[in-house]
Amino acid sequence: MAAVPVLVMPLKLWIDRPGPLTAESGYYPSGHTATAMVAYCGAALLLAPRTGRAGRGWAMPVAVVLSAATGIGLVLRGYHWPLDVLGSWLLCGMLLALLVAALRRIDNRGAVLTGTGAP
């Protein structure tokens, strides 16, 4: 969650894109979409090892639907252009991929240290 403003705010300042219903700028990428996606999908990723197979089957799809609904709602209400939301989804997709890689690395390291997994 701390990485979202660190990534989004400099892009907003650099691109300086106006919003659909205002002359004010700083709308690309959508910070609300980015925060929702990282919060929902990050929570699903962190809960997956603790919820078993049943949790893995529903947690991520629910997180994706909630993230999509947030972005679509922002576009439909006129707060963001569709590209603002798409940019946030792509940016946060990369951020979440890094989180998955880090979690796997931590999990593998713990398995090696405890002797429960292959090196």
Side-chain angles (χ1 to χ4, degrees), residues 15-35:
I15 296 169
D16 203 31
R17 178 183 174 136
L21 299 176
T22 181
E24 293 183 31
S25 61
Y27 281 78
Y28 181 90
S30 168
H32 292 100
T33 301
T35 301

Side-chain angles (χ1 to χ4, degrees), residues 94-117:
M94 291 184 288
L95 183 63
L96 288 166
L98 290 172
L99 175 63
V100 167
L103 290 174
R104 284 187 180 151
R105 185 170 209 168
I106 290 168
D107 188 44
N108 288 341
R109 186 177 298 155
V112 170
L113 291 175
T114 61
T116 59

